[in-house]
Amino acid sequence: MSGAPYYAGPEAPRSRLLSALMAAAAIAVALALPAVTFGLGYSARGVALHTRATVKAELVNQVIALSPTMWRYQDVRLHDVLTRTPVERPDERATLLAADGTVVSASDNRPGGIAMRRSAPVHDAGVPVGRVEVEQRIDDLLLFTALAAALGAALAGSLFALLRRSQMREAATLATMLDERERARITLFAITDGVVSVDAERRVAYLNPAAAALTLWTPEEARGRPLDEVCPLVDEATMAPAPAAVHTAMDQDRAAAYDEREIALMRRDGTSVAVEDSAAPLHDRTGAVIGAVMVLRDVSATRRMEKRALWDATHDSLTGLVNRREFEARVEAALARARAAAPGGVVCYLDLDQFKLVNDTCGHTAGDALLRQVGGVLQNRLRRSDTLARLGGDEFGVLLEDCPLDRAERIAADLLAAIREFRFVWEGKAFSVGASIGMIALGRDVGSRADVLAAVDAACYAAKEQGRGRICVYRSSDADIARRRSEMGWAARLSRAIEDNRLTLYYQPYKPLGPHSAPGEHMEVLLRLIDEDGNLVAPGTFLPAAERYNLMPAIDRWVIGHVFARYHELVRRFGAPLTCAINLSGTTLGDEGIFDYIRAQASAHAVPPGGICFEITETAAINNMRVATQFMAAVKGLGFSFALDDFGVGTSSLAYLKTLPVDFLKIDGSFVRNIASDPIDRTMTETINRVGHLMGLQTVGEYAADAEIVAALREIGVDFAQGYGVAPPAPLPE
């Protein structure tokens, strides 16, 4: 855009001309009114005076006719003629002059001032012998002329002012129009949207710079060309020509925008750019359509962002595969087809083996790389119509569209073979990976989407339990899979129970059996659940599901928080010192932040050292030896103790015992319940008790169901007994 002003017409000369014309008009009015007034008055006064002079001259002629030789001496009569006919006015004087100019007779008036004279000849026998001259003052005419001049000046001033105001309004209107035109020009230059105007024949009349940049046509080259040549639009999906909104705007005489389809502008060089198109008609003074203005907005960046957002919403960011939400939506669509008697396909659930080993050994970066590579391996073995999704962690989902079950089983076997053949290499280390697959054929009787996903998940874990690297097809008659589905149902119920605060606490005391038993009261806090109907549910019913679906950390936190909050009430009820044993699951040991939570609860409720003993199972401790050891050392630093629960069932129990910083050893109930009748179980109990004492640990015999077992435990030297032979579980007092 050049620096010269957009409009540089002859406004200044035109303004000066108008000013001159207005001044001339005002001067004309100011001069014309007194001139006309004076002229008309002077002419009328002159005619009247001439008439009076003529009448007086005629009367003098009559006197002459009566006395041809003596008329000069008839002074009285001549004086009377001059003053009486017509009657002389006060500002008038009549004079009879001889041919040589001498006064023959005159009236007595002396008008003075400025006067007008008119005369008429006097004849004697047809020969001029003199004249009658009438003189009259014209001061009143001059005064009236002066008044007319003043009025003319006033009118001229008013006219000039009126014309000047009109000129100023016109100038202001013109300036406003020019300003608006300039602003419109600058706006069109500065606006980032492309603006194209067309004439009545739909030929390009104007392109702003943005439109020129979009189309790659210069304004000069585009002017006069058909709009569809300069701005051809296409449907992005089909690349078929799309009519511009200008045609709708001009044909229907209304503002128009393109419909919901995504359109693109084909540029002069053959490339395309995503645009949004809108147009409005232009009208003349009569309202007729004389053209239109089209606006092209470059939305390529927005459209890319929208597509990226849509992709992100439906795909896994790590692997680029379909995510769980999109997978579930596609399963829902396949189910709808299956219910309509159309082929619905097969849903597969694939869970990797050895992924945790790679993740723990080489780190999360290696684990992410493994998932990406496995995704590529699986994708290469699937059909184009199939859907592969990452559902989370090391779990993948496959939807085999329009695929009978027998063929789906062959595809699944091919997937397992591909994974078995795959070797993951990371920093010189090679890892083999396995997988287990659960499958379900979609049909009218498979239930909802949630039922399908629950069934295929249960089938996958059944395949794992059968030895891994297997395929398990869900069938409603399969009892093992039904158990898995029951666990999944319990997982949902457990989540609701936690939200509804339907967990409750029971307790079961320890009975000291010898003089070396740790002093004070000891009890184990037990968890129960109240179901939707108000019935009490034992932990063996719902804890497997909680372990399976990683709900134990939340449940353990709930128990810890409630026991710590009620500890001092329990001391008042049962006496001091009191040790409350709380069970922790293996998943809770590795839960991030659990130690900080315990420390915060202990501080908030002032629980004394020795007031809490955490129980962990032997299996959980051994499976997470490093994590368990670090956690136990940190918690013992707070003054709390640990008990190793269910001791004796593991094959390496004694080897690991000296590594774990425990204070109590709970002998597994499978040995204790038969010590009164089975010498082998009694020997195992004696051995565990002796090892525990050698390591300075207190021992507890679980499942002491009756007094005979309690007596046998006392005889062996076990420090505490726990079971129905001591006391059954009871609600923890509020």
Side-chain angles (χ1 to χ4, degrees):
M1 181 174 64
S2 66
Y6 177 71
Y7 180 78
E11 181 186 355
R14 180 173 177 269
S15 178
R16 289 194 295 270
L17 177 60
L18 287 175
S19 298
L21 290 175
M22 287 189 297
I27 292 172
V29 171
L31 295 178
L33 187 59
V36 170
T37 300
F38 181 79
L40 292 176
Y42 191 85
S43 176
R45 188 72 59 88
V47 171
L49 282 180
H50 184 268
T51 300
R52 294 171 73 87
T54 302
V55 172
K56 291 180 185 294
E58 185 61 29
L59 291 176
V60 171
N61 285 337
Q62 291 177 10
V63 172
I64 293 174
L66 293 176
S67 304
T69 60
M70 298 298 292
W71 63 272
R72 290 175 174 255
Y73 304 103
Q74 295 185 21
D75 292 340
V76 173
R77 190 172 183 184
L78 290 174
H79 184 275
D80 186 60
V81 168
L82 293 176
T83 58
R84 293 182 178 273
T85 305
V87 178
E88 188 176 61
R89 295 173 53 176
D91 59 349
E92 181 182 299
R93 181 183 184 190
T95 304
L96 177 60
L97 299 173
D100 58 2
T102 58
V103 177
V104 176
S105 181
S107 64
D108 298 330
N109 287 337
R110 296 291 186 270
I114 301 173
M116 175 189 294
R117 293 181 178 86
R118 293 292 183 270
S119 63
V122 175
H123 299 85
D124 182 3
V127 178
V129 293
R131 66 180 185 278
V132 174
E133 188 177 85
V134 179
E135 177 184 5
Q136 189 179 46
R137 291 177 57 186
I138 59 171
D139 293 351
D140 57 338
L141 177 59
L142 295 176
L143 177 60
F144 190 71
T145 299
L147 292 175
L151 179 60
L155 288 175
S158 299
L159 177 62
F160 184 81
L162 179 63
L163 293 175
R164 183 61 180 168
R165 281 197 296 272
S166 177
Q167 180 195 21
M168 292 176 65
R169 283 196 297 270
E170 181 184 359
T173 301
L174 180 61
T176 300
M177 292 175 61
L178 292 176
D179 288 344
E180 291 177 354
R181 188 172 180 179
E182 180 67 5
R183 281 195 294 270
R185 183 186 70 87
I186 294 174
T187 300
L188 288 175
F189 269 79
I191 194 170
T192 57
D193 293 341
V195 179
V196 183
S197 66
V198 299
D199 58 20
E201 297 179 356
R202 305 179 191 190
R203 294 182 177 275
V204 174
Y206 171 77
L207 293 179
N208 76 336
L214 275 177
T215 62
L216 300 181
W217 287 85
T218 66
E220 293 75 17
E221 293 173 324
R223 189 173 295 113
R225 293 180 180 270
L227 175 67
D228 291 337
E229 178 185 352
V230 177
C231 302
L233 301 179
V234 296
D235 187 323
E236 269 197 324
T238 64
M239 297 306 290
V246 161
H247 302 303
T248 302
M250 295 184 67
D251 292 341
Q252 301 181 15
D253 192 11
R254 64 176 179 84
Y258 205 70
D259 58 22
E260 295 298 325
R261 289 180 295 169
E262 295 181 343
I263 61 170
L265 170 70
M266 297 302 298
R267 310 172 81 186
R268 192 177 185 181
D269 64 352
T271 61
S272 66
V273 59
V275 295
E276 288 180 350
D277 174 30
S278 60
L282 296 175
H283 304 89
D284 61 12
R285 293 183 179 181
T286 66
V289 176
I290 60 171
V293 173
M294 179 171 93
V295 177
L296 293 172
R297 174 168 294 174
D298 182 354
V299 295
S300 53
T302 303
R303 201 164 288 171
R304 283 195 301 271
M305 291 175 61
E306 290 174 350
K307 290 179 179 179
R308 180 65 190 182
L310 179 61
W311 192 93
D312 289 342
T314 57
H315 288 75
D316 173 54
S317 60
L318 175 63
T319 62
L321 301 176
V322 168
N323 62 15
R324 176 180 286 274
R325 179 185 298 176
E326 178 65 13
F327 183 74
E328 290 179 353
R330 296 187 186 186
V331 170
E332 187 74 61
L335 266 176
R337 291 192 293 273
R339 295 190 188 103
V346 175
V347 177
C348 304
Y349 188 97
L350 186 149
D351 188 84
L352 295 182
D353 299 327
Q354 304 304 319
F355 172 74
K356 188 175 186 301
L357 175 63
V358 174
N359 219 27
D360 292 346
T361 304
C362 302
H364 293 292
T365 302
D368 292 345
L370 171 60
L371 292 174
R372 285 192 292 267
Q373 293 181 28
V374 168
V377 169
L378 296 175
Q379 190 73 72
N380 291 335
R381 298 298 181 102
L382 293 173
R383 304 170 301 170
R384 187 178 296 273
S385 61
D386 299 331
T387 298
L388 174 64
R390 182 186 175 218
L391 305 181
D394 59 348
E395 301 166 349
F396 294 84
V398 180
L399 174 60
L400 303 173
E401 300 271 8
D402 190 15
C403 184
L405 182 59
D406 56 347
R407 185 179 179 186
E409 288 183 283
R410 290 196 297 271
I411 294 175
D414 189 36
L415 295 178
L416 285 183
I419 292 177
R420 279 196 299 268
E421 295 168 2
F422 170 69
R423 293 294 180 271
F424 176 68
V425 179
W426 186 263
E427 296 180 349
K429 298 178 182 178
F431 299 87
S432 59
V433 183
S436 301
I437 297 179
M439 304 174 64
I440 185 172
L442 300 180
R444 292 184 176 181
D445 57 347
V446 297
S448 66
R449 180 193 68 195
D451 293 332
V452 168
L453 297 177
V456 75
D457 185 19
C460 179
Y461 276 87
K464 279 182 173 291
E465 291 183 345
Q466 292 170 11
R468 300 180 183 270
R470 297 174 180 269
I471 299 170
C472 181
V473 179
Y474 172 82
R475 293 178 176 85
S476 58
S477 60
D478 193 315
D480 188 43
I481 297 179
R483 176 177 59 81
R484 286 290 180 189
R485 291 196 65 183
S486 175
E487 287 184 358
M488 294 176 67
W490 264 113
R493 294 176 65 186
L494 267 174
S495 297
R496 290 195 299 270
I498 294 173
E499 293 174 359
D500 299 341
N501 200 29
R502 285 189 284 105
L503 299 178
T504 187
L505 297 177
Y506 274 55
Y507 78 99
Q508 190 173 31
Y510 294 178
K511 180 178 181 180
L513 300 179
H516 302 294
S517 301
E521 299 293 329
H522 295 261
M523 67 172 67
E524 180 180 1
V525 178
L526 306 171
L527 182 66
R528 300 289 186 269
L529 182 144
I530 301 173
D531 68 12
E532 294 82 355
D533 298 324
N535 301 316
L536 199 66
V537 181
T541 304
F542 61 83
L543 284 185
E547 291 278 4
R548 163 75 174 80
Y549 292 100
N550 200 33
L551 295 175
M552 284 309 302
I555 293 174
D556 287 346
R557 283 175 183 250
W558 186 92
V559 174
I560 292 169
H562 280 71
V563 172
F564 278 48
R566 295 163 61 180
Y567 178 80
H568 290 288
E569 296 178 7
L570 297 176
V571 169
R572 286 192 291 271
R573 177 68 177 266
F574 294 102
L578 172 66
T579 300
C580 296
I582 299 174
N583 289 279
L584 293 181
S585 71
T587 53
T588 302
L589 293 179
D591 183 48
E592 185 177 356
I594 185 62
F595 172 72
D596 293 334
Y597 180 77
I598 293 173
R599 180 171 56 187
Q601 292 295 313
S603 174
H605 301 292
V607 178
I612 301 294
C613 176
F614 289 104
E615 291 191 11
I616 58 175
T617 64
E618 174 193 353
T619 303
I622 293 174
N623 289 343
N624 300 276
M625 178 63 69
R626 181 179 59 84
V627 174
T629 303
Q630 293 175 352
F631 173 77
M632 294 168 70
V635 173
K636 286 179 70 69
L638 300 177
F640 301 141
S641 57
F642 276 90
L644 195 60
D645 200 7
D646 300 334
F647 187 79
V649 295
T651 58
S652 304
S653 300
L654 296 176
Y656 284 109
L657 183 60
K658 58 185 178 181
T659 306
L660 297 172
V662 297
D663 304 280
F664 293 86
L665 202 61
K666 299 190 74 171
I667 305 169
D668 189 73
S670 61
F671 303 131
V672 173
R673 66 164 58 97
N674 297 317
I675 59 173
S677 57
D678 189 329
I680 296 178
D681 286 344
R682 181 182 178 98
T683 301
M684 289 293 296
T685 303
E686 290 175 346
T687 300
I688 294 171
N689 181 67
R690 187 177 301 110
V691 170
H693 285 168
L694 286 173
M695 298 184 67
L697 307 180
Q698 293 276 295
T699 56
V700 181
E702 300 180 298
Y703 290 86
D706 51 40
E708 186 179 6
I709 295 175
V710 172
L713 290 173
R714 179 182 287 108
E715 185 179 346
I716 292 172
V718 174
D719 298 303
F720 293 95
Q722 181 187 16
Y724 279 78
V726 176
L732 194 67
E734 291 290 346

